Amino acid sequence: MIPASYFFLLSVVLFVLGIIAFFLKRDLITQLMAVEIMLNAANLAFLALAKSSNFLDAQVIVFFIITVAAAEAAIGLAIVMLIFRQKKSIKTEDMRSMKG
Amino acid sequence: MMILLFFVLSVICVGSVLGMIISKNQAYSALFLVLAFSCLGGLFGMLGAPFMAVVQIIIYAGAIMVLFIFVIMMINLRKGISPERKKWTLAVSAVISVVLLAELVFAVLGTPPMPYTAAFSSGTSPTDIGRLLFTKYLYPFEITSVLIIAALVGAIVLVKKREKE
């Protein structure tokens, strides 16, 4: 049987990789993908907890996280489309109209 | 055997996330992410959650990433994004992520190992999750459906081209 800490370590590595991707990438679509990676790392940690503590509610929470992630992706990509129509660019360097 | 499968899946998962970070093309990033989410689905199955594994592969690797690929095709940046990042963001993000990684690994290794309870070894059937979802979590479930409808209508209203009056 695989120890639960292996799954936690994998979840930690994925979460940190998501943060690195969010900071390094310079376009809005890939940054949204980085957010999805972080949500998946949280899902993995929840399921490892569900397995090790025999607590079925964690799986229901993962179900809700996946649903919210779907809604977030739909709205986020719609906003990206709007920004692209207005500015003809999705690079974060070009979003400086609110900079003081 | 299971431990070998775990290492293979996790190496493919981390490797494809690294490939997503390295690749310049957004469509390749999305395809790398499909591979990573499929491997995560396999890991969910190993954790005794077959329903969540199937949901992960159908919703994440199927629906959400197809949505990303559709938007990448509609935006259609031919040249790709030029990597004109500033030097200090790389250094700052490296420092922040190393500190966060050390902190989280320390937290994980510091907690006492939890033994698996014997009753759980056979895995959970989707019937149990469905029963929990429609009894204890009935109100959150219904609110989630309202959230999905709101997201759907919101996305349509945001993206729709307005008619010139």
Side-chain angles (χ1 to χ4, degrees), chain A:
Chain A
M1 196 58 116
I2 304 166
S5 59
Y6 285 16
F7 286 98
F8 288 134
L9 283 179
L10 179 62
S11 157
V12 164
V13 168
L14 280 180
F15 193 85
V16 172
L17 278 179
I19 289 179
I20 292 173
F22 190 84
F23 277 116
L24 284 187
K25 288 295 191 172
R26 286 289 162 182
D27 56 315
L28 293 174
I29 292 181
T30 322
Q31 283 182 330
L32 273 179
M33 288 185 205
V35 174
E36 303 288 334
I37 294 174
M38 287 189 259
L39 283 169
N40 267 290
N43 282 348
L44 187 62
F46 267 118
L47 283 181
L49 272 175
K51 170 102 171 166
S52 62
S53 69
N54 195 7
F55 197 53
L56 197 56
D57 300 33
Q59 295 199 17
V60 179
I61 291 175
V62 170
F63 182 78
F64 287 135
I65 291 176
I66 289 177
T67 320
V68 171
E72 171 253 331
I75 292 291
L77 288 171
I79 293 174
V80 170
M81 286 292 299
L82 272 188
I83 291 174
F84 180 72
R85 267 191 213 146
Q86 287 199 349
K87 298 194 179 251
K88 301 291 176 220
S89 162
I90 53 167
K91 279 155 60 177
T92 42
E93 282 96 350
D94 297 334
M95 320 288 160
R96 57 181 67 174
S97 54
M98 288 180 77
K99 194 173 174 183

Side-chain angles (χ1 to χ4, degrees), chain A residues 1-10 12-17 19-21 23-27 29-30 32-34 36-37 39-40 43-44 47-52 54 56-57 59-60 62-64 66-71 73-75 77-82 84-85 90-91 93, chain B residues 2-3 6 10 13-14 17-18 20-21 23 26 30 33 37 40 43-44 46-49 52 55-56 59-60 64 67-68 71-72 74-75 77 81-82 84-85 89-90 93 97 100-101 104 108 114-117 120 124 128-129 132-133 136-137 140-141 144 147-148 151 155 158-159 161:
Chain A
M1 196 58 116
I2 304 166
S5 59
Y6 285 16
F7 286 98
F8 288 134
L9 283 179
L10 179 62
V12 164
V13 168
L14 280 180
F15 193 85
V16 172
L17 278 179
I19 289 179
I20 292 173
F23 277 116
L24 284 187
K25 288 295 191 172
R26 286 289 162 182
D27 56 315
I29 292 181
T30 322
L32 273 179
M33 288 185 205
E36 303 288 334
I37 294 174
L39 283 169
N40 267 290
N43 282 348
L44 187 62
L47 283 181
L49 272 175
K51 170 102 171 166
S52 62
N54 195 7
L56 197 56
D57 300 33
Q59 295 199 17
V60 179
V62 170
F63 182 78
F64 287 135
I66 289 177
T67 320
V68 171
I75 292 291
L77 288 171
I79 293 174
V80 170
M81 286 292 299
L82 272 188
F84 180 72
R85 267 191 213 146
I90 53 167
K91 279 155 60 177
E93 282 96 350
Chain B
M2 287 293 272
I3 196 100
F6 171 77
S10 54
C13 184
V14 172
V17 171
L18 280 176
M20 171 254 172
I21 295 176
S23 107
Q26 294 160 333
L33 222 54
F37 289 161
L40 270 176
L43 288 171
F44 289 179
M46 287 172 65
L47 278 171
M52 282 307 136
V55 164
Q56 169 83 7
I59 306 283
Y60 255 115
I64 296 183
L67 194 64
F68 272 94
V71 172
I72 290 168
M74 284 167 79
I75 286 183
L77 296 168
I81 302 285
S82 58
E84 44 183 79
R85 62 179 70 108
T89 54
L90 183 61
S93 63
S97 52
L100 182 68
L101 183 66
L104 287 176
V108 168
M114 288 168 289
Y116 289 118
T117 43
F120 207 71
T124 52
D128 300 332
I129 300 174
L132 202 58
L133 207 55
K136 189 176 172 186
Y137 291 98
F141 184 76
T144 307
L147 173 77
I148 288 288
L158 279 177
V159 177
K161 286 197 172 70

Side-chain angles (χ1 to χ4, degrees), chain B:
Chain B
M1 188 57 210
M2 287 293 272
I3 196 100
L4 185 68
L5 189 61
F6 171 77
F7 278 118
V8 167
L9 282 178
S10 54
V11 163
I12 293 175
C13 184
V14 172
S16 53
V17 171
L18 280 176
M20 171 254 172
I21 295 176
I22 290 169
S23 107
K24 293 275 184 287
N25 194 332
Q26 294 160 333
Y28 291 161
S29 298
L31 292 178
F32 272 124
L33 222 54
V34 171
L35 183 59
F37 289 161
S38 306
C39 292
L40 270 176
L43 288 171
F44 289 179
M46 287 172 65
L47 278 171
F51 178 66
M52 282 307 136
V54 172
V55 164
Q56 169 83 7
I57 288 176
I58 291 177
I59 306 283
Y60 255 115
I64 296 183
M65 294 320 291
V66 167
L67 194 64
F68 272 94
I69 290 174
F70 265 126
V71 172
I72 290 168
M73 287 191 325
M74 284 167 79
I75 286 183
N76 193 14
L77 296 168
R78 292 194 182 279
K79 299 184 293 294
I81 302 285
S82 58
E84 44 183 79
R85 62 179 70 108
K86 301 185 183 75
K87 288 288 183 219
W88 59 270
T89 54
L90 183 61
V92 168
S93 63
V95 168
I96 288 175
S97 52
V98 165
V99 168
L100 182 68
L101 183 66
E103 186 179 355
L104 287 176
V105 167
F106 186 71
V108 168
L109 294 182
T111 50
M114 288 168 289
Y116 289 118
T117 43
F120 207 71
S121 58
S122 59
T124 52
S125 70
T127 317
D128 300 332
I129 300 174
R131 191 167 291 129
L132 202 58
L133 207 55
F134 282 102
T135 53
K136 189 176 172 186
Y137 291 98
L138 181 63
Y139 288 116
F141 184 76
E142 297 294 336
I143 292 170
T144 307
S145 66
V146 175
L147 173 77
I148 288 288
I149 288 290
L152 190 65
V153 174
I156 291 172
V157 168
L158 279 177
V159 177
K160 186 182 68 174
K161 286 197 172 70
R162 294 196 171 71
E163 314 241 336
K164 301 268 192 307
E165 62 267 344

